[in-house]
Each structure stands twice: as structure tokens, then as C-alpha cells.
Amino acid sequence: MAIYINEPSHTFNEYLLIPGYSSSECIPANVSLKTPLVKYKAGEKPAIEMSIPMVSAIMQSVSGDKLAVALAKSGGVSFIYGSQSIEEEAAMVARAKGYKAGFVPIDSNIRPDAALSDILKLKEQTGHSTVAVTDDGTAQGKLLGIVTSRDYRVSRMDPATKVSEFMTPLDKMITAGEGTTLSEANDIIWDNKLNSLPIVTKDGRLTAFVFRKDYAEHKENPGEMLDEHKRYIVGAGINTRDYRERVPALLEAGADVLCIDSSEGFSEWQKLTIEYIRKTYGDSVKVGAGNVVDKEGFLFLAECGADFIKVGIGGGSICITRETKGIGRGQATALIEVCQARDEYFEKTGVYIPVCSDGGIVYDHHITLALAMGADFVMLGRYFARFDESPTEKLFINGNYVKEYWGEGSNRARNWQRYDLGGSAKLSFEEGVDSYVPYAGPLKENVNKTLSKVKSTMCNCGALTIKELQQKAKITLVSATSIVEGGAHDVIRKDTSSHSPI
């Protein structure tokens, strides 16, 4: 006979936080949102700690290299989608990792006998306005000059004009030699009012550039996620089919952390994937797993060796798994049970495995609720799909700007690996839909607004850290009538923009 759980499972919208005592020190400016991304032992620090509790979903319509950079600047981590070829995903990871490294290898190089038209084509391909002119047109060639957007005017120049005629030649440039530190390079840039500084060998070969904008961006984003080489931290999704080929390629491209992208994680497929990573790379490669919705699923993945565990099945806005297969659980109930299991596991073993709440976030305050219920961070899809940096098209439909957003289980994505149960390599039926979301603008200002709400609510609960919130939070289940009461009612609203779902 089946096991029956008679208690209904609940969603975030069925809960409210009860305010606690707030001291005069409890102001948003004093709140820290730092949180572990990967597991660690008691008394030790996690290998990766995020500045904010937000990661982006492993989805075609969400996590490309542009969003990975933007989110890392704001203090979170993006997981570049794996439902593409191994070569394409690795290239995305490499682009994100190469965006800022202090010393930046230049992939925009050209010969002096090339034409202005070649410069314009190169700029269109790479998006870079700084082009190094080398004797052989390679990144390691002898530096002869540089071309920036200030060196030419398209409207006044013949596209056939040779690069050698309008480039800034080497004898008019300031360069630095090998062995120059990043601090020294930045001093040279500021002392000489440069936008970029080429680093060259003794025999004049180009090795890298240091850019003024990188220094300025770091000052504007003190919580940005950087590795030991000052490059942005980037995650990548993998599946349980081609991991033997995909994992090495992603690591070679520079991925800092991996995550198995699967609709249901309580399976031998995930065990085999993690076993391969542990046997091949030991504990040096960090990999998250999931998704699960109960204690049993959490303990299974914990024993498999997962570095973090995702919770949630069927709660995403474009997910129809519950409709098509009848599996899942209310996100709040699932999260509470798994986080209790996480705490018991930590007490028993001394190993803390972070929990990621994936799905079910409709309003900003749901993020705070998820954290209070025990989540270390949340994974968001629709939230990030609305921003300029997501990979999808911005369209004008019915008088409003929108962006495309589709599920990994939709026919458009055809990510059959995510729903793999063995057998044929195909998507038998859809578990996601194709849709639009309201366009919301740039990531940074939206994330800052969301986090200001989270910090304010934490202060209302008397908490200055996520751990303190989890210890002090008082959470109440509310009735359907209370939910209605919680919004504006019995009035004619003038403007609803600030109250719309995220």
C-alpha cells in the first residue's frame, strides 16, 4: 500500500514572517548576505562563498555568458546552460572567465595590412573596441600598434583604408614589461591617463592588456565574485549522459563549479555522475546535485558526495511537471523538510551541505521566506530572464516590452537529458512551456532593489545575517482569506507597477 502524507504541502505564499525585536544596530546597511555555495567542514570556510544568496537557473533563456558576468559583478553565481553542445557551452564559460582577469589575453588582433572593414567585422564578432595590431595578427605576435574607437570615424573614412594608416603606433604608446604586477599596472594607467596598458615581453611580443574599466568596475562592485586570478566565478550545468566528455571541457574552459541539471535528482544516474567526478578529480571539483523534495532524497545525494543540493520539483513558472506527471511537492514544505535534514546531517557528520531553493519564487519577499526556512541561496529563472543580460530577444508585444522565456522541458529547448530516465535519447513529452516575461531592464539595479527588500525584512526580524535570520525567524501559516487581506483591497488602485510579481 502507498505511503500517505495527509498533511498538505504548502507554497511560500501561504506563509508570513512575524516581526521580531530590532535593535538600533539592525539597519539594512549592516546586513550581510554572504552565504556558502559549496559544502564545508565545521570550523572551516567554504571554498566558494557568495556575497548574495542568488544563482541563475541552468536554462537556455536565462544563463548565458553575459548574465554570468553581470551576476558575478553583483555577488552571485550563474550556471551556464548545458542544453547545447559541449563546445558551445565551454566557449560560453571561457568568454565569461576571460571578461576580466586583471591581465586580459586579447582575442581581438589584426595585421597592419588589414583594412578598416576588417576592424569593423572583428568588433562585431568579439564586441571589443580595443584591437591589438601585431606583425602576424595573433595574440602572441610582435606588437606594432593599437586601434581603438577613437582612431577612426566610419562616416569619414574609406573602408579599404589600411590599419597601418590610422592605428596608434607602438612608438606613441606606453607599455609595461613582463613581471609587472596588477597594482603597478593600474598605477601606470592612472598616472598616464590611459584606458589600457599592453604588457609585452623583452622581444616585444604582446602577452596581455590591463584595462582601466576593470579597476573602476571593481570599486563599483565590492562584492563581486572573483577567483584567485581576478576572473569572475562562473558555474556550468552538466547532465547525466555525456559528463565524461563535458566535465573535462568545462573545467578546461575555467568553470569554477558544476551543477547536475535534472528535474529529479533521487536517482542512480546522479550517483554515477558524482562518482565519476570524485574518482577523476577528487574533491577539487565542486558539483551540485538535485532536485529533491524530501529528507530521503537529500540524504541520498549527501552520501553521493554532492557539494550543494537543490530542492524543488514542479514549482517553476514555466514547469508543467506536476500537470504532466503528477509528481512534486509544495516548495515551502519541501524546503523545510530538506533543511531540517541538512541540519541533522551537519550535527551528525560535521559536514555542512548548502541547500538551494529552486522554483516557486513569485515575489521578492519569497526569497526572504526561503532563507528563513533554511535555504542558503535561491536559484531563479523567470526573475533573471527579464533582464537585459539574459540571452533572449526583447520584443514589443501588445504595447509592452517583453523577453522570451521557455522551459528546458519545452519542445523549443528539447533538453531531453534533463528528464533522462534511460532509454531513447529524445523528449517524449513536454514538461515546460514557451512564454514571455515583462522586460525589467538591467540586472544590477533590479537585484539591488530586491536585496534592499530582503535586508529590510531581515531587520524587521532582528537579523543581520542569513544564519541569524534562520535562528530568529518566526513563521506563520496563513489562511486563504489572510492572503487576500495581505494585498491592497477594497480600493481603486492608481498604480500597480511596484506590486507586480518579480
Side-chain angles (χ1 to χ4, degrees):
M1 184 176 179
I3 297 173
Y4 289 92
I5 300 175
N6 292 318
E7 175 67 28
S9 63
H10 299 284
T11 66
F12 292 131
N13 220 36
E14 296 176 79
Y15 289 92
L16 288 174
L17 286 158
I18 296 175
Y21 172 73
S22 300
S23 71
S24 59
E25 294 294 313
C26 208
I27 59 174
N30 291 338
V31 172
S32 169
L33 293 176
K34 286 189 175 181
T35 192
L37 176 62
V38 295
K39 70 182 178 184
Y40 60 94
K41 293 179 181 178
E44 298 181 356
K45 289 193 68 175
I48 304 176
E49 185 178 55
M50 296 190 293
S51 300
I52 65 172
M54 301 170 79
V55 300
S56 68
I58 311 167
M59 301 175 68
Q60 293 176 6
S61 54
V62 178
S63 297
D65 51 290
K66 288 183 180 178
L67 191 121
V69 169
L71 184 51
K73 284 181 183 179
S74 290
V77 172
S78 184
F79 285 87
I80 289 176
Y81 66 91
S83 52
Q84 56 181 322
S85 73
I86 294 172
E87 294 75 21
E88 288 171 331
E89 185 181 10
M92 274 194 178
V93 170
R95 285 199 296 272
K97 292 299 292 184
Y99 184 85
K100 175 180 179 179
F103 295 95
V104 183
I106 297 299
D107 59 3
S108 295
N109 305 282
I110 205 161
R111 290 167 55 98
D113 57 356
L116 172 59
S117 58
D118 297 314
I119 289 282
L120 300 178
K121 287 177 185 177
L122 191 58
K123 184 177 180 181
E124 186 177 350
Q125 290 170 2
T126 65
H128 300 157
S129 57
T130 299
V131 179
V133 185
T134 59
D135 60 346
D136 60 2
T138 70
Q140 293 76 38
K142 285 198 172 184
L143 185 64
L144 302 178
I146 190 174
V147 174
T148 71
S149 55
R150 294 177 302 176
D151 292 314
Y152 59 85
R153 293 188 69 177
V154 177
S155 60
R156 296 190 178 186
M157 291 173 63
D158 185 342
T161 304
K162 297 296 182 185
V163 168
S164 57
E165 296 180 33
F166 60 87
M167 70 180 189
T168 300
L170 182 61
D171 59 10
K172 292 185 179 179
M173 294 169 56
I174 294 173
T175 64
E178 277 188 303
T180 303
T181 67
L182 187 59
S183 178
E184 290 169 342
N186 281 319
D187 286 342
I188 295 171
I189 287 172
W190 287 94
D191 291 345
N192 294 278
K193 299 180 180 179
L194 305 173
N195 286 324
S196 62
L197 177 69
I199 308 297
V200 296
T201 62
K202 288 181 179 179
D203 61 352
R205 295 188 179 278
L206 177 66
T207 63
F209 269 75
V210 178
F211 291 94
R212 172 192 287 260
K213 66 180 178 65
D214 285 348
Y215 179 85
E217 284 182 1
H218 176 63
K219 292 300 180 184
E220 291 173 7
N221 303 291
E224 62 187 354
M225 295 294 294
L226 300 175
D227 66 16
E228 58 184 359
H229 302 295
K230 304 294 184 183
R231 299 175 301 180
Y232 287 118
I233 288 178
V234 179
I238 61 174
N239 62 66
T240 57
R241 278 274 178 137
D242 65 9
Y243 54 87
R244 289 180 181 83
E245 297 77 38
R246 191 174 292 268
V247 169
L250 295 176
L251 296 177
E252 178 68 23
D256 299 280
V257 57
L258 307 174
C259 184
I260 302 172
D261 181 25
S262 174
S263 66
E264 204 279 295
F266 196 178
S267 75
E268 188 176 6
W269 306 110
Q270 296 222 1
K271 180 181 180 181
L272 294 172
T273 304
I274 297 172
E275 280 181 351
Y276 161 78
I277 291 173
R278 293 290 171 253
K279 286 179 181 178
T280 309
Y281 304 100
D283 292 329
S284 64
V285 172
K286 308 304 179 184
V287 56
N291 287 17
V292 297
V293 291
D294 62 6
K295 177 179 180 178
E296 197 176 1
F298 171 85
L299 292 175
F300 171 77
L301 291 176
E303 291 302 321
C304 287
D307 285 292
F308 66 86
I309 294 173
K310 292 200 297 163
V311 176
I313 294 176
S317 60
I318 40 67
C319 183
I320 55 172
T321 293
R322 295 181 192 176
E323 293 178 33
T324 57
K325 295 168 73 174
I327 65 169
R329 199 176 193 188
Q331 185 67 10
T333 300
L335 183 62
I336 291 168
E337 180 175 323
V338 170
C339 289
Q340 287 174 343
R342 184 266 323 275
D343 293 342
E344 291 169 4
Y345 187 86
F346 178 52
E347 190 173 334
K348 179 181 177 181
T349 66
V351 176
Y352 187 90
I353 303 176
V355 168
C356 168
S357 181
D358 178 16
I361 301 292
V362 180
Y363 300 97
D364 284 330
H365 75 269
H366 289 172
I367 297 175
T368 320
L369 273 168
L371 297 174
M373 289 173 179
D376 295 279
F377 54 96
V378 296
M379 178 171 276
L380 303 164
R382 180 175 58 89
Y383 178 89
F384 287 116
R386 305 171 304 143
F387 302 151
D388 286 322
E389 295 87 353
S390 73
T392 63
E393 293 294 323
K394 176 183 170 185
L395 307 172
F396 191 69
I397 296 177
N398 297 329
N400 296 298
Y401 283 106
V402 297
K403 293 206 77 178
E404 296 178 292
Y405 180 49
W406 59 91
E408 288 297 292
S410 67
N411 279 327
R412 181 170 185 174
R414 300 212 64 79
N415 183 6
W416 63 269
Q417 295 96 331
R418 188 173 198 274
Y419 305 88
D420 187 20
L421 294 173
S424 335
K426 66 178 183 177
L427 192 69
S428 301
F429 53 88
E430 287 190 290
E431 292 191 45
V433 300
D434 200 339
S435 64
Y436 301 112
V437 289
Y439 167 69
L443 179 145
K444 183 177 180 179
E445 66 180 44
N446 281 281
V447 166
N448 286 345
K449 183 177 180 181
T450 293
L451 295 180
S452 69
K453 294 178 186 178
V454 172
K455 290 179 179 180
S456 180
T457 305
M458 288 173 63
C459 287
N460 292 144
C461 296
L464 290 175
T465 66
I466 292 173
K467 281 300 177 191
E468 198 174 359
L469 174 68
Q470 292 165 354
Q471 294 163 359
K472 292 184 174 182
K474 290 185 287 185
I475 303 172
T476 181
L477 194 63
V478 297
S479 68
T481 306
S482 294
I483 294 172
V484 174
E485 178 189 59
H489 56 89
D490 303 315
V491 294
I492 300 172
R493 291 279 290 272
K494 288 183 178 181
D495 176 23
T496 60
S497 60
S498 63
H499 299 273
S500 59
I502 58 175

